[in-house]
Amino acid sequence: MQTQSMQRRLEIEIDAKRLIDELNTLATFSSVEPSVIGTAVTRIVFTPDDLRARTWLKQLAQAEGLSIREDAVGNTFFRWAGSEPGLPAVATGSHIDAIPHAGMYDGTVGVLGGLEAIRTLKRSGLRPRRSIELVLLTSEEPTRFGIGCVGSRLISGTLSPERADALHGAQRGSEDETLAQVRSAAGFTGPLSSVRLPNGHYHAWVELHIEQGPLLEREGIPLGIVTAIAAPAGYRFTIEGIGGHAGALLMPDRRDALCAAAELILSIEKHALATGVIDTVATVGTCDVYPGAVNSVPSRVTLQVDVRDIDPVRREGVMQGVRRDVEAIGKLREVRVSETLVNADQPALSSPHIVAVLDEVCRSYGITPKHMVARAYHDSSFIAGIAPIAMIFIPCRGGVSHRPDEYAAPGDIALGARVLAATLATLAAE
Ligand code: HGY
Ligand code: MN
Ligand code: MN
Protein backbone atom coordinates (compact mmCIF):
# COMPACT_ATOMS: atom_id res chain seq x y z
CA MET A 1 0.00 0.00 0.00
CA GLN A 2 1.52 3.30 -1.01
CA THR A 3 1.00 6.19 1.37
CA GLN A 4 0.32 9.60 -0.15
CA SER A 5 3.85 10.76 0.65
CA MET A 6 5.25 7.63 -0.96
CA GLN A 7 3.14 8.35 -4.02
CA ARG A 8 4.36 11.94 -4.18
CA ARG A 9 7.91 10.75 -3.69
CA LEU A 10 7.75 8.54 -6.72
CA GLU A 11 6.56 11.50 -8.79
CA ILE A 12 9.72 13.46 -8.00
CA GLU A 13 11.49 13.70 -11.32
CA ILE A 14 14.79 15.60 -11.26
CA ASP A 15 15.58 17.38 -14.51
CA ALA A 16 19.00 15.77 -14.89
CA LYS A 17 19.86 17.66 -18.09
CA ARG A 18 19.16 21.04 -16.46
CA LEU A 19 21.21 20.06 -13.41
CA ILE A 20 24.20 18.87 -15.45
CA ASP A 21 23.99 21.94 -17.71
CA GLU A 22 24.10 24.16 -14.64
CA LEU A 23 27.08 22.27 -13.21
CA ASN A 24 28.87 22.81 -16.51
CA THR A 25 27.99 26.50 -16.49
CA LEU A 26 29.20 26.87 -12.90
CA ALA A 27 32.50 25.25 -13.92
CA THR A 28 33.11 28.10 -16.36
CA PHE A 29 33.39 30.58 -13.47
CA SER A 30 36.99 29.64 -12.95
CA SER A 31 40.52 30.43 -13.93
CA VAL A 32 40.39 27.20 -15.90
CA GLU A 33 43.74 25.77 -16.84
CA PRO A 34 43.89 23.83 -20.07
CA SER A 35 43.72 20.32 -18.74
CA VAL A 36 43.98 17.15 -20.74
CA ILE A 37 42.54 15.09 -17.90
CA GLY A 38 39.23 16.87 -17.26
CA THR A 39 37.55 20.18 -16.45
CA ALA A 40 40.01 21.92 -14.19
CA VAL A 41 38.44 24.46 -11.86
CA THR A 42 40.08 27.01 -9.64
CA ARG A 43 37.60 29.20 -7.77
CA ILE A 44 39.09 30.75 -4.66
CA VAL A 45 36.66 32.41 -2.28
CA PHE A 46 35.91 36.11 -2.90
CA THR A 47 37.82 36.17 -6.19
CA PRO A 48 36.03 37.57 -9.26
CA ASP A 49 35.29 33.98 -10.36
CA ASP A 50 33.59 33.27 -7.04
CA LEU A 51 31.63 36.50 -7.06
CA ARG A 52 30.45 35.97 -10.63
CA ALA A 53 29.35 32.44 -9.72
CA ARG A 54 27.42 33.78 -6.74
CA THR A 55 25.65 36.37 -8.89
CA TRP A 56 24.67 33.70 -11.40
CA LEU A 57 23.37 31.43 -8.65
CA LYS A 58 21.28 34.23 -7.16
CA GLN A 59 19.69 34.79 -10.58
CA LEU A 60 18.73 31.12 -10.76
CA ALA A 61 17.23 31.26 -7.27
CA GLN A 62 15.38 34.50 -8.00
CA ALA A 63 13.84 32.86 -11.07
CA GLU A 64 12.43 30.21 -8.74
CA GLY A 65 10.91 32.78 -6.43
CA LEU A 66 13.19 31.92 -3.51
CA SER A 67 13.94 34.67 -1.01
CA ILE A 68 17.66 35.48 -0.70
CA ARG A 69 19.65 36.58 2.34
CA GLU A 70 23.41 37.10 2.44
CA ASP A 71 25.16 37.28 5.79
CA ALA A 72 28.27 39.25 6.75
CA VAL A 73 30.69 36.59 5.50
CA GLY A 74 28.80 35.79 2.33
CA ASN A 75 26.89 32.71 3.44
CA THR A 76 23.85 32.92 1.18
CA PHE A 77 20.42 31.58 2.15
CA PHE A 78 17.85 30.76 -0.53
CA ARG A 79 14.53 30.10 1.18
CA TRP A 80 11.23 28.57 0.01
CA ALA A 81 8.71 29.64 2.64
CA GLY A 82 6.59 26.86 4.08
CA SER A 83 2.97 27.08 5.20
CA GLU A 84 4.22 27.51 8.79
CA PRO A 85 7.17 29.86 8.22
CA GLY A 86 7.72 30.36 11.94
CA LEU A 87 8.88 26.75 12.39
CA PRO A 88 12.59 25.87 12.17
CA ALA A 89 13.31 25.22 8.50
CA VAL A 90 14.79 22.19 6.83
CA ALA A 91 18.06 23.03 5.06
CA THR A 92 20.51 21.71 2.54
CA GLY A 93 23.64 23.25 1.11
CA SER A 94 27.35 23.09 0.47
CA HIS A 95 30.09 25.20 -1.15
CA ILE A 96 31.17 26.44 -4.57
CA ASP A 97 34.73 27.51 -3.80
CA ALA A 98 37.34 25.19 -5.27
CA ILE A 99 41.02 24.71 -4.52
CA PRO A 100 43.55 25.33 -7.31
CA HIS A 101 43.55 22.77 -10.11
CA ALA A 102 40.45 21.07 -8.70
CA GLY A 103 37.47 19.39 -10.30
CA MET A 104 33.97 20.70 -10.97
CA TYR A 105 31.85 18.52 -8.65
CA ASP A 106 33.23 19.03 -5.11
CA GLY A 107 30.63 21.14 -3.29
CA THR A 108 28.81 22.25 -6.42
CA VAL A 109 26.78 19.02 -6.60
CA GLY A 110 25.37 19.90 -3.18
CA VAL A 111 24.53 23.48 -4.09
CA LEU A 112 23.04 22.89 -7.54
CA GLY A 113 21.63 19.51 -6.54
CA GLY A 114 19.94 21.27 -3.63
CA LEU A 115 18.56 23.96 -5.93
CA GLU A 116 17.27 21.32 -8.32
CA ALA A 117 15.66 19.41 -5.44
CA ILE A 118 13.84 22.53 -4.24
CA ARG A 119 12.88 23.55 -7.79
CA THR A 120 11.48 20.08 -8.48
CA LEU A 121 9.47 20.01 -5.26
CA LYS A 122 8.18 23.54 -5.82
CA ARG A 123 7.08 22.78 -9.37
CA SER A 124 5.41 19.56 -8.22
CA GLY A 125 2.86 21.64 -6.34
CA LEU A 126 4.08 20.55 -2.90
CA ARG A 127 3.43 23.04 -0.11
CA PRO A 128 5.89 22.18 2.66
CA ARG A 129 4.87 22.80 6.27
CA ARG A 130 8.40 23.89 7.20
CA SER A 131 10.35 26.25 4.98
CA ILE A 132 13.08 24.59 2.94
CA GLU A 133 16.34 26.49 2.58
CA LEU A 134 19.38 26.08 0.34
CA VAL A 135 22.60 27.48 1.83
CA LEU A 136 25.75 28.46 -0.05
CA LEU A 137 28.51 28.38 2.55
CA THR A 138 31.51 30.64 2.26
CA SER A 139 35.13 29.51 2.17
CA GLU A 140 34.75 25.79 2.77
CA GLU A 141 38.22 25.30 1.34
CA PRO A 142 41.24 26.40 3.44
CA THR A 143 43.12 27.73 0.41
CA ARG A 144 42.74 31.45 0.95
CA PHE A 145 42.65 31.80 4.73
CA GLY A 146 44.35 28.62 5.92
CA ILE A 147 41.31 27.16 7.69
CA GLY A 148 38.35 25.38 6.09
CA CYS A 149 34.64 25.94 6.60
CA VAL A 150 34.92 29.57 7.68
CA GLY A 151 31.25 30.25 6.91
CA SER A 152 29.84 27.20 8.70
CA ARG A 153 32.24 27.65 11.64
CA LEU A 154 30.99 31.20 12.13
CA ILE A 155 27.37 30.00 11.88
CA SER A 156 27.98 27.40 14.59
CA GLY A 157 30.28 29.49 16.76
CA THR A 158 33.37 27.25 16.39
CA LEU A 159 35.33 30.22 15.03
CA SER A 160 35.13 33.56 16.80
CA PRO A 161 34.28 36.65 14.71
CA GLU A 162 37.46 38.33 15.97
CA ARG A 163 39.70 35.44 14.98
CA ALA A 164 37.95 35.09 11.64
CA ASP A 165 38.30 38.74 10.64
CA ALA A 166 41.97 38.63 11.65
CA LEU A 167 42.73 35.58 9.45
CA HIS A 168 45.54 36.40 7.04
CA GLY A 169 46.04 35.13 3.51
CA ALA A 170 47.59 31.68 3.51
CA GLN A 171 48.76 31.80 -0.08
CA ARG A 172 52.25 33.09 -0.92
CA GLY A 173 52.17 36.84 -1.45
CA SER A 174 48.76 37.23 0.21
CA GLU A 175 50.09 37.28 3.78
CA ASP A 176 49.14 40.95 4.28
CA GLU A 177 45.46 40.61 3.38
CA THR A 178 42.92 39.81 6.08
CA LEU A 179 39.46 38.28 5.86
CA ALA A 180 38.04 41.56 7.13
CA GLN A 181 39.54 43.46 4.19
CA VAL A 182 38.74 40.85 1.57
CA ARG A 183 35.14 40.28 2.57
CA SER A 184 34.32 43.98 2.76
CA ALA A 185 35.96 44.54 -0.63
CA ALA A 186 33.61 41.83 -1.88
CA GLY A 187 30.67 43.73 -0.42
CA PHE A 188 30.14 41.77 2.82
CA THR A 189 30.52 44.42 5.50
CA GLY A 190 28.33 43.60 8.48
CA PRO A 191 29.71 42.43 11.85
CA LEU A 192 30.67 38.75 11.81
CA SER A 193 28.91 38.34 15.13
CA SER A 194 25.67 38.52 13.12
CA VAL A 195 26.56 35.30 11.24
CA ARG A 196 25.97 33.04 14.26
CA LEU A 197 22.75 31.00 14.14
CA PRO A 198 21.21 29.63 17.32
CA ASN A 199 20.95 25.95 18.18
CA GLY A 200 17.67 24.67 16.82
CA HIS A 201 17.69 27.22 13.99
CA TYR A 202 17.17 24.32 11.61
CA HIS A 203 14.90 21.33 12.12
CA ALA A 204 17.28 19.27 9.98
CA TRP A 205 20.23 19.70 7.62
CA VAL A 206 21.12 17.32 4.78
CA GLU A 207 24.12 17.89 2.49
CA LEU A 208 24.58 16.17 -0.87
CA HIS A 209 28.24 15.66 -1.83
CA ILE A 210 30.49 13.46 -3.94
CA GLU A 211 32.15 10.76 -1.85
CA GLN A 212 35.71 11.89 -2.62
CA GLY A 213 36.70 8.27 -2.09
CA PRO A 214 36.48 4.97 -4.00
CA LEU A 215 34.14 2.84 -1.90
CA LEU A 216 30.74 3.42 -3.54
CA GLU A 217 32.10 2.95 -7.04
CA ARG A 218 34.20 -0.08 -6.00
CA GLU A 219 31.17 -1.76 -4.36
CA GLY A 220 28.76 -0.74 -7.12
CA ILE A 221 26.50 1.15 -4.71
CA PRO A 222 24.79 4.25 -6.13
CA LEU A 223 24.39 6.16 -2.87
CA GLY A 224 25.98 6.50 0.55
CA ILE A 225 24.54 7.78 3.82
CA VAL A 226 27.17 9.40 6.00
CA THR A 227 26.95 8.37 9.65
CA ALA A 228 30.07 10.25 10.84
CA ILE A 229 32.52 12.83 9.49
CA ALA A 230 36.23 12.52 10.30
CA ALA A 231 37.94 15.02 12.60
CA PRO A 232 40.33 17.37 10.80
CA ALA A 233 43.23 19.26 12.35
CA GLY A 234 45.49 21.87 10.80
CA TYR A 235 48.92 23.08 11.91
CA ARG A 236 51.50 25.52 10.63
CA PHE A 237 55.19 24.79 11.26
CA THR A 238 57.82 27.46 10.72
CA ILE A 239 61.46 26.35 10.57
CA GLU A 240 64.10 29.08 10.90
CA GLY A 241 67.80 28.49 10.27
CA ILE A 242 70.77 30.28 8.77
CA GLY A 243 70.73 30.83 5.03
CA GLY A 244 73.02 32.62 2.66
CA HIS A 245 75.04 32.25 -0.53
CA ALA A 246 74.71 28.79 -2.04
CA GLY A 247 78.37 28.93 -3.11
CA ALA A 248 80.09 30.82 -0.31
CA LEU A 249 78.28 29.48 2.77
CA LEU A 250 80.15 26.31 3.64
CA MET A 251 78.20 23.22 4.64
CA PRO A 252 79.23 23.18 8.33
CA ASP A 253 78.08 26.80 8.70
CA ARG A 254 74.62 26.22 7.25
CA ARG A 255 71.42 25.78 9.18
CA ASP A 256 69.41 24.79 6.13
CA ALA A 257 65.70 25.26 6.96
CA LEU A 258 64.55 23.18 3.99
CA CYS A 259 66.63 20.15 4.97
CA ALA A 260 65.16 20.37 8.45
CA ALA A 261 61.67 20.73 6.93
CA ALA A 262 62.28 17.63 4.86
CA GLU A 263 62.93 15.62 8.02
CA LEU A 264 59.81 17.10 9.62
CA ILE A 265 57.66 16.20 6.61
CA LEU A 266 58.89 12.60 6.74
CA SER A 267 58.24 12.51 10.49
CA ILE A 268 54.60 13.48 9.89
CA GLU A 269 54.19 10.70 7.36
CA LYS A 270 55.98 8.22 9.65
CA HIS A 271 53.75 8.90 12.66
CA ALA A 272 50.53 8.79 10.63
CA LEU A 273 51.50 5.39 9.26
CA ALA A 274 52.67 4.21 12.69
CA THR A 275 49.09 4.14 14.06
CA GLY A 276 48.54 1.17 11.75
CA VAL A 277 44.94 2.35 11.27
CA ILE A 278 43.67 3.26 7.80
CA ASP A 279 41.57 6.11 9.25
CA THR A 280 44.67 8.12 10.21
CA VAL A 281 45.86 10.42 7.42
CA ALA A 282 48.34 13.28 7.33
CA THR A 283 49.46 15.59 4.57
CA VAL A 284 51.90 18.45 4.22
CA GLY A 285 50.10 20.29 1.44
CA THR A 286 52.16 23.46 1.17
CA CYS A 287 55.85 24.20 1.69
CA ASP A 288 56.87 27.83 1.39
CA VAL A 289 60.62 28.32 1.06
CA TYR A 290 62.27 31.66 1.84
CA PRO A 291 63.93 33.33 0.06
CA GLY A 292 63.13 30.79 -2.65
CA ALA A 293 66.14 31.31 -4.89
CA VAL A 294 68.11 28.47 -6.39
CA ASN A 295 71.44 29.91 -5.25
CA SER A 296 70.36 30.87 -1.74
CA VAL A 297 70.37 28.49 1.22
CA PRO A 298 66.80 28.45 2.64
CA SER A 299 66.68 30.31 5.93
CA ARG A 300 62.97 29.91 6.59
CA VAL A 301 60.34 27.34 5.60
CA THR A 302 56.64 27.34 6.42
CA LEU A 303 54.66 24.11 6.21
CA GLN A 304 50.86 23.76 6.31
CA VAL A 305 49.94 20.38 7.76
CA ASP A 306 46.60 18.54 7.60
CA VAL A 307 46.06 15.59 9.98
CA ARG A 308 42.79 13.67 10.22
CA ASP A 309 41.30 10.66 11.93
CA ILE A 310 37.88 9.57 13.05
CA ASP A 311 39.47 9.28 16.50
CA PRO A 312 40.78 12.67 17.70
CA VAL A 313 42.80 11.04 20.52
CA ARG A 314 44.69 8.92 18.00
CA ARG A 315 45.15 12.01 15.85
CA GLU A 316 46.71 13.83 18.80
CA GLY A 317 49.02 10.86 19.32
CA VAL A 318 50.40 11.43 15.84
CA MET A 319 51.22 15.02 16.71
CA GLN A 320 52.89 14.04 19.97
CA GLY A 321 55.22 11.77 18.04
CA VAL A 322 55.94 14.54 15.56
CA ARG A 323 56.73 16.96 18.40
CA ARG A 324 59.32 14.56 19.81
CA ASP A 325 61.00 14.51 16.41
CA VAL A 326 60.74 18.29 16.11
CA GLU A 327 62.73 18.62 19.31
CA ALA A 328 65.46 16.30 18.01
CA ILE A 329 65.57 18.00 14.59
CA GLY A 330 65.86 21.41 16.23
CA LYS A 331 68.73 20.31 18.43
CA LEU A 332 70.63 18.37 15.80
CA ARG A 333 70.31 20.99 13.07
CA GLU A 334 70.35 24.03 15.36
CA VAL A 335 67.19 25.41 13.77
CA ARG A 336 64.17 26.94 15.48
CA VAL A 337 60.87 25.17 14.84
CA SER A 338 57.60 26.80 15.89
CA GLU A 339 54.17 25.19 15.70
CA THR A 340 50.88 27.06 15.32
CA LEU A 341 47.58 25.28 15.80
CA VAL A 342 45.11 26.31 13.09
CA ASN A 343 42.27 23.96 14.03
CA ALA A 344 41.68 20.69 15.84
CA ASP A 345 38.09 19.61 15.38
CA GLN A 346 35.96 16.82 16.74
CA PRO A 347 34.28 14.24 14.48
CA ALA A 348 30.63 14.98 13.65
CA LEU A 349 27.92 12.35 14.04
CA SER A 350 24.81 12.19 11.87
CA SER A 351 21.34 12.28 13.36
CA PRO A 352 19.97 8.72 13.59
CA HIS A 353 16.52 10.10 12.74
CA ILE A 354 17.65 11.73 9.50
CA VAL A 355 19.64 8.61 8.63
CA ALA A 356 16.45 6.59 9.14
CA VAL A 357 14.49 8.95 6.88
CA LEU A 358 17.20 8.63 4.22
CA ASP A 359 17.12 4.84 4.57
CA GLU A 360 13.36 4.82 4.13
CA VAL A 361 13.51 7.09 1.09
CA CYS A 362 16.18 4.85 -0.45
CA ARG A 363 14.07 1.80 0.26
CA SER A 364 11.09 3.41 -1.50
CA TYR A 365 13.36 3.94 -4.50
CA GLY A 366 14.61 0.37 -4.39
CA ILE A 367 18.12 1.40 -3.36
CA THR A 368 20.24 -0.22 -0.65
CA PRO A 369 22.56 2.61 0.46
CA LYS A 370 25.93 2.18 2.14
CA HIS A 371 26.32 3.64 5.61
CA MET A 372 29.78 5.16 5.74
CA VAL A 373 32.24 7.58 7.32
CA ALA A 374 33.18 10.77 5.48
CA ARG A 375 36.97 11.10 5.37
CA ALA A 376 36.90 14.58 3.88
CA TYR A 377 35.48 17.20 6.14
CA HIS A 378 32.39 19.18 5.13
CA ASP A 379 30.33 22.15 6.21
CA SER A 380 27.98 19.61 7.77
CA SER A 381 30.76 18.92 10.30
CA PHE A 382 30.10 22.37 11.77
CA ILE A 383 26.39 22.77 11.07
CA ALA A 384 26.16 19.72 13.33
CA GLY A 385 26.87 22.18 16.14
CA ILE A 386 23.45 23.81 15.71
CA ALA A 387 21.25 21.19 14.01
CA PRO A 388 20.78 17.47 13.43
CA ILE A 389 22.64 16.60 10.23
CA ALA A 390 23.24 13.87 7.72
CA MET A 391 24.93 13.66 4.33
CA ILE A 392 24.19 11.90 1.07
CA PHE A 393 27.19 10.67 -0.88
CA ILE A 394 27.27 9.81 -4.56
CA PRO A 395 30.08 7.89 -6.25
CA CYS A 396 32.95 9.72 -7.90
CA ARG A 397 35.06 7.98 -10.53
CA GLY A 398 38.10 6.26 -9.07
CA GLY A 399 37.48 8.11 -5.81
CA VAL A 400 39.34 11.02 -7.35
CA SER A 401 38.76 14.52 -6.02
CA HIS A 402 40.63 17.84 -5.76
CA ARG A 403 41.91 17.07 -9.29
CA PRO A 404 40.68 18.09 -12.75
CA ASP A 405 39.71 14.48 -13.48
CA GLU A 406 37.20 14.47 -10.62
CA TYR A 407 33.98 13.09 -12.13
CA ALA A 408 30.46 12.10 -11.06
CA ALA A 409 28.06 10.47 -13.51
CA PRO A 410 24.88 12.36 -14.44
CA GLY A 411 22.70 9.44 -13.32
CA ASP A 412 24.34 9.37 -9.90
CA ILE A 413 24.05 13.14 -9.51
CA ALA A 414 20.36 13.03 -10.46
CA LEU A 415 19.66 10.14 -8.10
CA GLY A 416 21.39 11.98 -5.27
CA ALA A 417 19.27 15.07 -5.95
CA ARG A 418 16.12 12.93 -6.11
CA VAL A 419 16.81 11.27 -2.76
CA LEU A 420 17.64 14.69 -1.34
CA ALA A 421 14.35 16.13 -2.65
CA ALA A 422 12.29 13.31 -1.16
CA THR A 423 14.16 13.57 2.15
CA LEU A 424 13.70 17.34 2.37
CA ALA A 425 9.99 16.94 1.61
CA THR A 426 9.64 14.29 4.33
CA LEU A 427 11.51 16.34 6.93
CA ALA A 428 9.62 19.50 6.01
CA ALA A 429 6.33 17.77 6.71
CA GLU A 430 7.37 16.88 10.30
O1 HGY B 1 39.70 19.10 2.72
C1 HGY B 1 38.55 18.69 2.77
O2 HGY B 1 38.25 17.67 3.35
C2 HGY B 1 37.47 19.46 2.08
O3 HGY B 1 37.45 19.06 0.73
N1 HGY B 1 37.71 20.87 2.17
MN1 MN C 1 37.17 20.08 -1.21
MN1 MN D 1 33.64 19.70 -0.52
Side-chain angles (χ1 to χ4, degrees):
M1 200 279 275
Q2 278 185 352
T3 64
Q4 204 229 356
S5 80
M6 289 267 280
Q7 186 49 42
R8 287 195 83 89
R9 201 177 281 169
L10 297 176
E11 289 155 13
I12 293 172
E13 275 314 318
I14 294 296
D15 184 331
K17 183 181 177 321
R18 178 173 58 198
L19 177 47
I20 301 306
D21 287 350
E22 287 171 351
L23 281 166
N24 285 317
T25 303
L26 182 49
T28 63
F29 298 111
S30 155
S31 40
V32 174
E33 301 77 16
S35 163
V36 293
I37 57 170
T39 306
V41 172
T42 298
R43 186 163 50 242
I44 308 299
V45 67
F46 295 136
T47 58
D49 293 324
D50 179 43
L51 300 179
R52 272 199 299 273
R54 288 164 176 263
T55 303
W56 171 77
L57 195 61
K58 284 186 281 189
Q59 288 161 353
L60 289 182
Q62 251 143 11
E64 285 308 313
L66 303 181
S67 67
I68 300 177
R69 176 176 78 87
E70 291 177 310
D71 72 14
V73 77
N75 294 318
T76 308
F77 305 83
F78 306 99
R79 179 166 284 217
W80 172 24
S83 57
E84 297 183 47
L87 291 175
V90 170
T92 185
S94 196
H95 63 99
I96 63 167
D97 59 325
I99 72 169
H101 313 291
M104 59 178 273
Y105 299 95
D106 173 7
T108 57
V109 161
V111 174
L112 290 173
L115 177 63
E116 180 58 27
I118 291 172
R119 196 164 34 197
T120 301
L121 291 172
K122 206 160 187 289
R123 294 182 183 187
S124 75
L126 178 81
R127 185 83 169 96
R129 178 169 177 245
R130 295 174 182 276
S131 300
I132 299 179
E133 186 158 81
L134 169 67
V135 187
L136 159 63
L137 290 151
T138 285
S139 201
E140 191 273 353
E141 297 293 3
T143 309
R144 186 151 194 181
F145 296 106
I147 184 171
C149 298
V150 171
S152 47
R153 288 176 189 272
L154 282 164
I155 281 175
S156 59
T158 51
L159 177 66
S160 74
E162 299 72 27
R163 183 173 170 221
D165 257 340
L167 288 172
H168 279 263
Q171 293 174 290
R172 180 148 210 195
S174 70
E175 297 82 357
D176 295 339
E177 72 177 16
T178 63
L179 173 64
Q181 292 160 348
V182 173
R183 71 181 179 94
S184 52
F188 303 111
T189 53
L192 288 188
S193 54
S194 62
V195 173
R196 182 78 163 88
L197 294 176
N199 286 14
H201 178 77
Y202 287 123
H203 172 64
W205 165 276
V206 184
E207 179 175 3
L208 170 63
H209 205 285
I210 57 172
E211 179 196 341
Q212 296 178 303
L215 301 181
L216 290 174
E217 182 190 56
R218 196 177 290 166
E219 298 172 29
I221 299 172
L223 193 132
I225 296 175
V226 171
T227 53
I229 306 173
Y235 302 86
R236 193 165 295 133
F237 282 94
T238 303
I239 300 104
E240 291 169 292
I242 299 173
H245 195 291
L249 182 57
L250 303 177
M251 295 304 278
D253 302 329
R254 299 178 177 200
R255 301 295 177 268
D256 188 321
L258 189 50
C259 292
E263 290 193 12
L264 174 46
I265 292 166
L266 291 174
S267 160
I268 287 162
E269 181 191 52
K270 175 183 75 178
H271 288 289
L273 292 169
T275 69
V277 175
I278 196 73
D279 296 321
T280 315
V281 292
T283 314
V284 177
T286 69
C287 175
D288 188 65
V289 180
Y290 179 82
V294 66
N295 58 349
S296 176
V297 177
S299 56
R300 188 181 69 238
V301 171
T302 305
L303 304 176
Q304 288 190 81
V305 182
D306 178 319
V307 187
R308 309 187 195 192
D309 199 314
I310 54 173
D311 175 352
V313 173
R314 193 168 49 219
R315 184 191 68 201
E316 183 52 29
V318 170
M319 292 312 298
Q320 281 160 8
V322 169
R323 290 180 189 119
R324 286 195 295 274
D325 288 354
V326 161
E327 202 159 326
I329 295 166
K331 276 204 192 89
L332 194 69
R333 290 182 168 273
E334 294 176 35
V335 293
R336 207 159 62 85
V337 185
S338 55
E339 172 191 335
T340 308
L341 170 67
V342 178
N343 64 289
D345 300 298
Q346 294 303 309
L349 300 177
S350 292
S351 147
H353 169 61
I354 303 176
V355 169
V357 170
L358 281 163
D359 270 328
E360 201 270 323
V361 168
C362 288
R363 220 179 351 267
S364 69
Y365 285 150
I367 303 165
T368 307
K370 178 183 177 63
H371 285 206
M372 57 201 296
V373 167
R375 297 187 187 285
Y377 60 76
H378 299 279
D379 287 307
S380 296
S381 310
F382 303 99
I383 300 295
I386 62 160
I389 65 138
M391 291 185 74
I392 300 167
F393 269 179
I394 61 168
C396 52
R397 186 177 56 199
V400 164
S401 183
H402 283 191
R403 278 179 13 193
D405 50 339
E406 178 184 89
Y407 176 78
D412 291 332
I413 296 170
L415 178 64
R418 189 178 188 216
V419 168
L420 175 65
T423 304
L424 294 174
T426 304
L427 294 166
E430 291 179 345

